[in-house]
Amino acid sequence: MKKTITFIAALSMLLGTHGWVQAVDYQYDEDWGYCYVENNMDMASEQDPFNNDLFEVVAEVQSDRVYADFETYDYEYTEDYTQCRIIKRTVGYDGMTTEEFMTDYMDNAEAEKIMDTYNGWAEYRENGYKESYNDGLVRMSYNERMWPYTFNDINGVNYIFNDPAWMGYGVGYNIGLMQESWSEEIYVEGQDFPDWGDSDTYLYTIFSDDVNYKFIQTDFTIFDDNGYSIMKVDGKQYVVKLKKGFIPTVFYNGEKIKFDQIPVIDNGRTLVPLRAIFEKIGAQVEWDGETQTVTATKDDVTVSLTIDNTQAVKNGEEITLDVPAKIINGRTLVPVRFISDCFGVDVAWDGTMQRVTLTSK
């Protein structure tokens, strides 16, 4: 039996073809567990990696080693491979590289256990898989997701991608960009397995009306929370930085706060999810559904505000909000300056990257 479902703002790469972030129809064959995806192919705009509107090159990586991220961990073995130690390799935004040994030489099995704490496998084994939000986009668990690989956003919209477990595909998401890479299979006569040709990378702006970008024979690491990535092209590596952000992000004391509702901009003011931030600060939050009132308490400070009202109350004194608090997708959003007025945190706004930085005093 086949089902046809329409998804808004979705993308697929299937059988070596590419689409872009758009509305698509796909048919799911339950008998075969196979999806047929209909969309416009190759619609992303081809870009020059050294001159484009998305990012700029800020440094060349000073190493011939290929780096998969700004911070990676690897093994260094003894000559007989009976022991190894863990080495941390770092690339700075200035392109300079450093290496640091995290352990002494030890048995390989013992080193693998320690490595699991660095790569996250130890936590996975202890706690199992958890759906994780990143800027309002949740990655579906393997057992619950539909084929192809899907993410659900805060509005219930599905973003469809081919399963990255397929050889040649890579999928990643961060700070408003979804990334896919495709490598051509090149069969060499006399060899059992194909070689992989140069990669093409597609960058799609999520929650944004911006265009989508196609880079031929160019690889990127996932852009980090500061908007930096390592680009590999023409046999060299470069550090690149986004020229602008695509969705607002919030950091508290250097830690990025992950929301199940992304911040929004209303009349030039950035509204952020109240509960997530107040709880990160250490406040207790209560909600009165009848009066549509939120009350937050930390130490000797109590603050309350009502939805669609520009007046809040802090320890009996009124505070005027730039714009009223709103409910979006079941979450209460307030102007970011209100956070500072409530509990005395410093607030900084980077309009280029749409980044809010909160710092406790």
Side-chain angles (χ1 to χ4, degrees), residues 58-76:
V58 297
E60 183 175 343
V61 176
Q62 300 302 302
S63 174
D64 293 331
R65 177 181 295 277
V66 177
Y67 288 87
D69 206 342
F70 286 103
E71 184 177 286
T72 56
Y73 296 88
D74 202 355
Y75 298 109
E76 182 179 273

Side-chain angles (χ1 to χ4, degrees), residues 187-248:
Y187 288 91
V188 180
E189 186 176 355
Q191 294 186 6
D192 294 332
F193 298 98
D195 193 5
W196 296 100
D198 293 322
S199 295
D200 298 340
T201 296
Y202 294 69
L203 299 173
Y204 307 93
T205 58
I206 307 300
F207 305 120
S208 168
D209 293 329
D210 204 273
V211 299
N212 303 299
Y213 302 83
K214 175 181 178 180
F215 295 90
I216 302 299
Q217 299 183 5
T218 307
D219 279 336
F220 301 88
T221 65
I222 300 303
F223 282 81
D224 68 12
D225 287 334
N226 296 317
Y228 288 86
S229 173
I230 301 174
M231 176 180 73
K232 305 175 187 67
V233 60
D234 295 334
K236 294 185 178 181
Q237 299 175 96
Y238 304 88
V239 177
V240 300
K241 185 181 187 300
L242 291 179
K243 292 181 177 178
K244 63 178 179 178
F246 294 95
I247 57 173

Side-chain angles (χ1 to χ4, degrees), residues 264-283:
V264 300
I265 296 181
D266 181 20
N267 290 327
R269 297 291 184 265
T270 302
L271 275 64
V272 295
L274 179 148
R275 179 180 291 274
I277 293 180
F278 274 8
E279 289 181 348
K280 178 66 68 173
I281 291 174

